[in-house]
Amino acid sequence: MQAEVNDILEKSLQKAREHDRTGNVGKAYAYYTIVAELSPAKRSEIEETFTDVLCEWGIQLAEDHRFSDVVRCYKHSLDIYPNSSRMLNNFAAHLLRNNDPIRAIEYLKRALKIDLNFLPAERNLQNAYSMAVDRWHFTMLNDKWRNSAFEQAIHKRIRQGYDTVLDVGTGTGLLSLYAKDAGATKVYTCECSEAMMLIAQEVFESNNAADIKLIPKLSFDLKIPTDIPERVKLIVTETFDAGLFGELVVPSMINVHMNILDSNGMVIPMGATIYAAAIECEYIRYRSSVVFDKVKDYCPLNFNNVSVLSDDEYYDTENLEKVQINYITEPQVLFNINFNDLLELQEFCKDGIKQMLQTKCKYDGTVDGLVTWFKLHLDEEITLDSSDGKSCWQLAVFPAMPINCHGGDILTIKAEMSKSKLKCSFSTDNARSNENCKFLYRLPKEVIVFLNDFNYVKMLTEIGRYQESREIKYILDTSPFPIYGLTLLKEHKDSEILYYKTDNPTLRFLIEQVARDSGLQGKVYMVSNYDEIPCPLDSILVHNFDIKGELKDDQDSCYEIFRHLLKPNGVLLPEKIFLVGQLVYSEDLPNMVYVKDANLQRSSCSSNTPICFNTNLASENDSHIQINTANKESKSTNYVIAEYINRYKINQIFDLNSSLYSCEIISDAQILIEINETETTEAVMNFGKINGVNTTLPNSLVCWYKIQLSSDHVHDTRKNESFMNHIAIVFEDELRDVILRDKEVKIKIHQMKGLIKITVLNL
């Protein structure tokens, strides 16, 4: 009997290896599974290959939309290898791609329990937390002005008799808690996010509010009497984005008016006023359109007939509080909207133009686009202003191709609704265009910020122009726009062919036009996969950088390109990449990653008080919240919410630039570690002792990269005009505890193929 089993094992292993070698990973997986099931003794021997084959097979199944088979294969494989951190992480990655972060978190925690320093699982866990709970929940809940304003508005309406409540999109349940404490006889709440629903359930139980009925549905799917026994008297909601309507606010309002709200009921907020202005702002200009004037000064390529603008369909969101911005026109009211008027909402919801207005330019300048903001009228007296720097909302930015204007020129601003979202644009007969372009290309932001990073592009151009005297015929450039490779073709007499890769047809047309206009026809080839390149390469520029501030975690790694494509004596750029860090103190950064219960205060109002306003709610000159009535002093307590939503907190913040936060620099910038995409490495950076007496203590480490293209060309991505934003690691109490114990601040950096984990050594 054992001899027969051994024969089956030997044949199955042979077939598994043959199918793996020929690329038939489905059959290879089936035969490896037979081996692992029949022979526990061989499991460790084949585990690595088994996991590789399962990974490839899972990818193929996912590409064929066979997700149920992906789940079946991974679950069966994990029964065999329950302690495989790679397998657990790969399965979680499939779950994330299938928009199932809650289940992914379970498997990622298992992977990290097995191997605490398995950084792919650590990074995916951060992604899973961000998918499960959108990061704006944290800044929103930490906006104590917003919270207090909604509390007071809800108290007022309930005391006026609107005492049955539906909270639409409850999130953590904060507004529902306000309604219950204000004396509502019944509070219903709906939430479609699985993670937020679980959080709200725990929040209600911990705050003695288990009688709030939590309905796991979109408001569009609520029915009477199935979900709610009768129409309610008050709707409360805070589902607004920077453009006010981005979260399908108007269709949601129409639905609750028609199906849920009593005919004499009310909605909080009562309405909104939307404002717009034309602006001049270099920061917006360089993030929204390519300014070729500076590139032309040192680049041999011909960009004369092209113009590039962002491909954002609607608007971007920006905090411009710390950015130089000039208002070319005075702010204008675009329109008012009444959330308590069903007919007005139905008319407003239709696609089409909602406003055309004319406004005069105040002075000579450059118009870089429009910004809009809103005042949210919670009731007749309480208004929140999204343009204030304290607000959890940012400005909505509608970029445009920069145009010159003169004082007195008339701009026509057009506002329209499209698919329930706001779109704004402007036109003028008198404006003078900075570019007389024949072709306009709309491209992703990564291409725009790359071409606008003049220092980096200049370095690439210089290296391409003054490459060493070696023969360079065949080139691969993986950057968002292959300016290095094109310069080599243009300036280096031996260069013959440039290969590049893109899935964006518009970008391909742009590259082809610039190549054609620069006299490089027939020398530029696009590939869908790098294995299509038929010959060894003399030079490769690996642009493995994500504009949000990290290295890309994909299969086209520097190691793979080097191993398969580069000649033994070929040129590989960059030569080295270093991670740099600097200790800072910031009030803003912690608000982005975890919630503080102190920002979730509630007022203790006596039953005979018609309305209670917290004296800290607003000052006379505070434009973020305006209350047109006398304030009355009251005591405050906090809800227990933070501990539940903070289960989904992250400690790394990506996509940062100086416009998003304020900070006080505590230490010098230090090189933390050299990035090695082929190995796992560790390092410890000692920032020394920091005086803990009468000194601001650091709470974050801001990180960025030094890219050594060559020994003479080093690029620092910390600058705002860099093609990369930077990241921050936020520490709650770890740094403070070390400093107050009069210890040296030591930071441990763990690096695994470009992925980073940073911890404080608490010795």
Side-chain angles (χ1 to χ4, degrees), residues 178-219:
Y178 287 152
K180 176 178 170 56
D181 283 354
T185 58
K186 193 61 185 176
V187 181
Y188 306 94
T189 182
C190 64
E191 175 59 57
C192 64
S193 162
E194 182 181 358
M196 298 311 300
M197 187 188 67
L198 294 172
I199 291 170
Q201 197 168 37
E202 292 181 301
V203 166
F204 293 153
E205 291 172 358
S206 296
N207 290 278
N208 300 315
D211 57 336
I212 295 176
K213 183 176 180 182
L214 178 58
I215 307 165
K217 291 183 177 181
L218 285 166
S219 62

Side-chain angles (χ1 to χ4, degrees), residues 60 186 283 458 481 614 699:
Q60 288 187 20
K186 193 61 185 176
Y283 172 80
K458 184 176 181 181
F481 184 92
N614 191 307
N699 61 3

Side-chain angles (χ1 to χ4, degrees), residues 26-37:
K27 288 186 176 181
Y29 169 72
Y31 281 111
Y32 275 124
T33 301
I34 293 172
V35 175
E37 287 176 334

Side-chain angles (χ1 to χ4, degrees), residues 247-342:
E247 301 297 325
L248 298 179
V249 168
V250 177
S252 175
M253 293 276 192
I254 292 171
N255 177 70
V256 294
H257 268 287
M258 295 179 66
N259 300 311
I260 307 295
L261 186 62
D262 185 86
S263 58
N264 295 315
M266 291 288 292
V267 175
I268 295 177
M270 187 176 67
T273 304
I274 295 86
Y275 298 83
I279 61 165
E280 180 176 27
C281 179
E282 280 195 352
Y283 172 80
I284 295 298
R285 186 182 311 156
Y286 293 151
R287 289 172 66 83
S288 305
S289 60
V290 178
V291 182
F292 284 113
D293 287 346
K294 292 186 179 180
V295 175
K296 293 175 183 176
D297 293 340
Y298 49 79
C299 182
L301 305 177
N302 186 344
F303 293 102
N304 291 334
N305 297 318
V306 298
S307 181
V308 176
L309 192 62
S310 171
D311 64 356
D312 289 340
E313 184 179 359
Y314 291 96
Y315 50 83
D316 205 350
T317 59
E318 297 283 355
N319 182 349
L320 302 180
E321 189 71 16
K322 303 173 184 69
V323 171
Q324 177 62 43
I325 178 173
N326 298 318
Y327 285 84
I328 294 287
T329 66
E330 293 290 348
Q332 301 285 326
V333 174
L334 274 184
F335 43 74
N336 293 282
I337 184 165
N338 183 352
F339 295 139
N340 282 288
D341 188 326
L342 175 58

